[in-house]
């Protein structure tokens, strides 16, 4: 939390510094404040995080790309120096060239010349007055000025030291000066590295798109093809796509995390962690539960209340919550339970008890009916048995031969035994 507050404070201070710079230095600093939209919009912030989260991987891959560019630059400097010839546009009149600037810096000022600091203030700006100088000093200043700029005449006009373009060239020369100029871009290793890095990485086809197109009859024609193809496949396709792939994958992960967070916030209660499905077919919907029962702001207001209230005036629940908040415990939160669900569960229990009682009553009635039917069946069986015994006794009578014949079978044996028993009784 302290780190988050520190970053927020640093951001606000930078914001204030930019406002002061825009007010004091230049209005350009006001335009930088438009980048505040990145902080306010999480989607744009994820774009920045997609680069910074895996910054180490991107940095190492970039170092690998620079090493490969350096190797290709060394090969080009050693073997393909003559192929690094590029067309450049001619410089406009009055453009200061690097060679002229370096040569002017190397020339020591003569005793009659003015102070170089005075020259730097006067040349090009025309703000400082030159009327106080003598004609010899003005001529020396004009000579030094012409060493710094090509095709420019410097003179003191109207009390101010200004630049005047030289006499216009003929039309034929002006047309000739507009034609592109071929410049060797690999005469030094440093220049070769800069050219390979600038032109090779920015072109879709690699360094081969900007180099001289060789003739098939040249000795280095096939090595040049290998050089161009290797640069294209290794640097453009593999290394650059590795960097882009890391950035795109990180952005996709951040987007998935944001969607998961939004899904949890939409379908899960922040207080009790119950999901939306727990309130299906209940008396209270999830929206009502989230807005009324477990409102996040109500809990925050309650925490603020126990912080500002006198501890001697606490009630029992307030004292309990105060101790929990003081010890940074969350046991007082209703985890995975809600009042509406508890009441619904009690009603469901009562309904289940009623259903069970009705079921038991129906079962008892059915058992009583079955018991009555079984008793009637037993009475009928006894009646039939008594009738059969009486018929058998009348049929056999007192004849011993018939008794022996009836005793041959198990059924008859039983009947006879029963008859004898009844007779003896």
């Amino acid at each position: 939390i302290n780190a988050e507050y520190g970053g927020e404070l640093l951001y606000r201070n930078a914001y204030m510094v930019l406002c002061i710079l825009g007010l004091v230095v230049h209005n350009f600093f006001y335009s930088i404040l438009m980048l505040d939209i990145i902080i306010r919009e999480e989607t744009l912030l994820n774009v920045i995080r997609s680069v910074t989260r895996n910054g180490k991987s991107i940095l190492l891959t970039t170092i690998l790309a620079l090493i490969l560019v350096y190797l290709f630059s060394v090969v080009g400097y050693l073997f393909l120096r003559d192929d690094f010839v590029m067309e450049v546009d001619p410089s406009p009149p009055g453009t200061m060239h690097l060679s002229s600037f370096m040569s002017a810096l190397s020339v020591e000022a003569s005793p009659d010349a003015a102070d170089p600091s005075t020259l730097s203030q006067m040349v090009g700006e025309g703000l400082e007055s030159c009327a106080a100088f003598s004609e010899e000093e003005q001529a020396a200043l004009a000579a030094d000025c012409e060493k710094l700029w090509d095709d420019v005449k410097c003179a003191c006009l109207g009390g101010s030291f200004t630049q005047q373009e030289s006499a216009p060239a003929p039309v034929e020369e002006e047309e000739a000066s507009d034609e592109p100029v071929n410049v060797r871009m690999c005469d030094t290793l440093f220049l070769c590295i800069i050219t390979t890095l600038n032109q090779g990485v920015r072109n879709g086809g690699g360094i081969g798109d900007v180099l001289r197109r060789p003739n098939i009859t040249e000795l280095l024609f096939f090595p040049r093809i290998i050089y161009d193809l290797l640069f294209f496949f290794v640097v453009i396709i593999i290394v650059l796509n590795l960097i882009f792939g890391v950035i795109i994958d990180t952005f996709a992960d951040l987007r998935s995390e944001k969607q998961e967070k939004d899904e949890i916030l939409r379908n899960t209660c922040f207080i009790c962690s119950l999901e939306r499905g727990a309130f299906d077919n209940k008396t209270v919907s999830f929206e009502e539960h989230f807005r009324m029962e477990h409102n996040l702001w109500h809990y925050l207001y309650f925490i603020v209340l126990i912080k500002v209230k006198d501890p001697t005036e606490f009630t029992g629940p307030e004292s309990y919550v105060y101790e929990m908040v003081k010890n940074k415990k969350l046991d007082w939160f209703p985890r995975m339970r809600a009042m509406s669900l508890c009441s619904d569960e009690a009603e469901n229990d009562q309904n289940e008890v009623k259903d069970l009682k009705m079921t038991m009553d129906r079962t008892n009635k059915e058992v009583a009916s079955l018991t009555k039917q079984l008793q009637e069946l037993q009475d009928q069986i006894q009646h039939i048995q008594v009738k059969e015994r009486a018929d058998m006794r009348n049929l056999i009578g007192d004849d011993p031969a018939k008794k022996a014949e009836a005793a041959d079978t198990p059924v008859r044996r039983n009947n006879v035994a029963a008859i004898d028993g009844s007779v003896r009784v």
Side-chain angles (χ1 to χ4, degrees), residues 136-147:
E136 291 78 5
E137 292 175 347
Q138 294 178 9
L141 288 174
D144 292 337
C145 173
E146 293 173 0
K147 291 179 180 178

Side-chain angles (χ1 to χ4, degrees), residues 115-215:
D115 187 5
S117 61
T118 305
L119 178 64
S120 62
Q121 294 177 1
M122 296 171 61
V123 175
E125 296 180 358
L127 299 178
E128 297 291 337
S129 175
C130 62
F133 294 94
S134 62
E135 295 181 359
E136 291 78 5
E137 292 175 347
Q138 294 178 9
L141 288 174
D144 292 337
C145 173
E146 293 173 0
K147 291 179 180 178
L148 296 178
W149 281 273
D150 294 340
D151 301 329
V152 172
K153 290 289 186 179
C154 299
C156 182
L157 297 177
S160 179
F161 199 77
T162 58
Q163 304 174 18
Q164 293 180 343
E165 295 184 2
S166 59
V171 179
E172 294 79 11
E173 295 180 2
E174 184 177 358
E175 293 178 354
S177 63
D178 292 338
E179 295 180 357
V181 180
N182 293 329
V183 179
R184 296 176 60 88
M185 304 297 293
C186 196
D187 288 339
T188 62
L189 181 59
F190 177 76
L191 184 59
C192 196
I193 293 173
I194 296 300
T195 303
T196 305
L197 181 62
N198 180 34
Q199 301 292 338
V201 177
R202 291 193 301 107
N203 284 277
I207 193 63
D209 289 352
V210 296
L211 297 184
R212 183 184 63 87
R213 295 177 177 82
N215 194 345

Side-chain angles (χ1 to χ4, degrees), residues 60-78 80 84 186 188-203 206-207 211 227 230-240 243:
L60 294 176
T61 309
T62 304
I63 293 175
L64 175 61
L66 293 177
I67 293 174
L68 293 174
V69 169
Y70 172 76
L71 295 178
F72 279 99
S73 301
V74 172
V75 174
Y77 177 72
L78 294 177
L80 303 173
F84 281 79
C186 196
T188 62
L189 181 59
F190 177 76
L191 184 59
C192 196
I193 293 173
I194 296 300
T195 303
T196 305
L197 181 62
N198 180 34
Q199 301 292 338
V201 177
R202 291 193 301 107
N203 284 277
I207 193 63
L211 297 184
Y227 178 81
L230 284 177
F231 191 95
F232 175 73
F233 284 109
V234 175
V235 178
I236 303 299
I237 293 182
I238 298 178
V239 179
L240 292 184
I243 298 175

